[in-house]
Amino acid sequence: MTDTLINLQAGSDTAPLRAKWGWIVALGVVYLVVGFIALGSVVMATVASVLVVGVMMIIAGVAEVFSAFQIKSWGKFLLWALLGMLYIIAGFVTFENPLLAAALLTLILGASLVASGIMRIILAFSMKRETPWILVLVSAVITLLLGLLILAHWPVSSLYILGLFLGIDLIMAGAGWIGLGFGLRRAR
């Protein structure tokens, strides 16, 4: 921590940030409040996160379709336009049925966590001669168990898991911003 503060004092890049430390702390407080609200209503937070994914899919789809018109060959144009239309349709489907979209996203999340956990367990055992291999193994087992827990309770877990993750992420980000803001204040 002291090395970080010394680096903050030494770097001129942080001078504008140090002057705005209060705003950074305020941002962290907003993140914390919104995170706790999300944890208080995880189903609504899940729906909100799915709707954001839907908006992003529609935007990406429109961009794909516009990009397709920049392609000169007919086969590639058709492929890019079709891909863009699929994104747009998928985005509108999330608006039509956000709970179904949440179920699919949760299933993908659970499967991804299981796969990631298994791969990191293999990685941990392959680096046994290295010092922190046990930390990699513990992290991998936690990831694997979390993925298995999500899949074991699927599709019911799809009602709350995305909102829970969103709330936890917002709280952790808020704590990080608050810590950064007070660190910048001390570095003044």
Side-chain angles (χ1 to χ4, degrees):
M1 183 70 174
T2 56
D3 289 340
T4 304
L5 290 176
I6 290 170
N7 288 339
L8 285 175
Q9 289 171 342
S12 63
D13 297 347
T14 61
L17 288 178
R18 279 184 264 148
K20 304 291 184 187
W21 71 269
W23 287 104
I24 294 171
V25 170
L27 176 67
V29 170
V30 169
Y31 269 69
L32 278 176
V33 168
V34 172
F36 282 115
I37 290 171
L39 286 182
S41 180
V42 290
V43 174
M44 289 305 295
T46 295
V47 171
S49 63
V50 167
L51 294 177
V52 167
V53 169
V55 168
M56 294 300 121
M57 291 176 82
I58 291 170
I59 292 170
V62 169
E64 281 291 330
V65 170
F66 281 132
S67 293
F69 287 103
Q70 304 302 316
I71 309 260
K72 302 296 183 215
S73 70
W74 179 249
K76 289 181 181 177
F77 163 79
L78 193 59
L79 188 63
W80 281 54
L82 180 62
L83 182 63
M85 291 308 297
L86 286 174
Y87 267 101
I88 292 169
I89 291 168
F92 280 114
V93 167
T94 61
F95 285 116
E96 182 71 29
N97 194 343
L99 293 180
L100 175 63
L104 291 174
L105 288 172
T106 304
L107 181 63
I108 292 168
L109 175 66
S112 298
L113 289 173
V114 167
S116 176
I118 291 170
M119 294 307 295
R120 282 194 282 161
I121 287 172
I122 293 168
L123 176 68
F125 282 115
S126 73
M127 55 186 275
K128 263 187 152 176
R129 293 184 185 142
E130 307 296 324
T131 323
W133 77 273
I134 195 75
L135 295 175
V136 174
L137 179 65
V138 169
S139 167
V141 169
I142 290 170
T143 301
L144 176 64
L145 291 176
L146 184 60
L148 290 173
L149 185 65
I150 290 170
L151 292 177
H153 294 287
W154 188 85
V156 175
S157 65
S158 63
L159 290 174
Y160 61 86
I161 218 62
L162 297 175
L164 180 68
F165 280 20
L166 177 64
I168 291 170
D169 180 60
L170 288 170
I171 289 169
M172 298 310 279
W177 284 118
I178 290 171
L180 176 66
F182 284 127
L184 289 168
R185 179 176 178 242
R186 275 187 241 121
R188 287 174 66 178

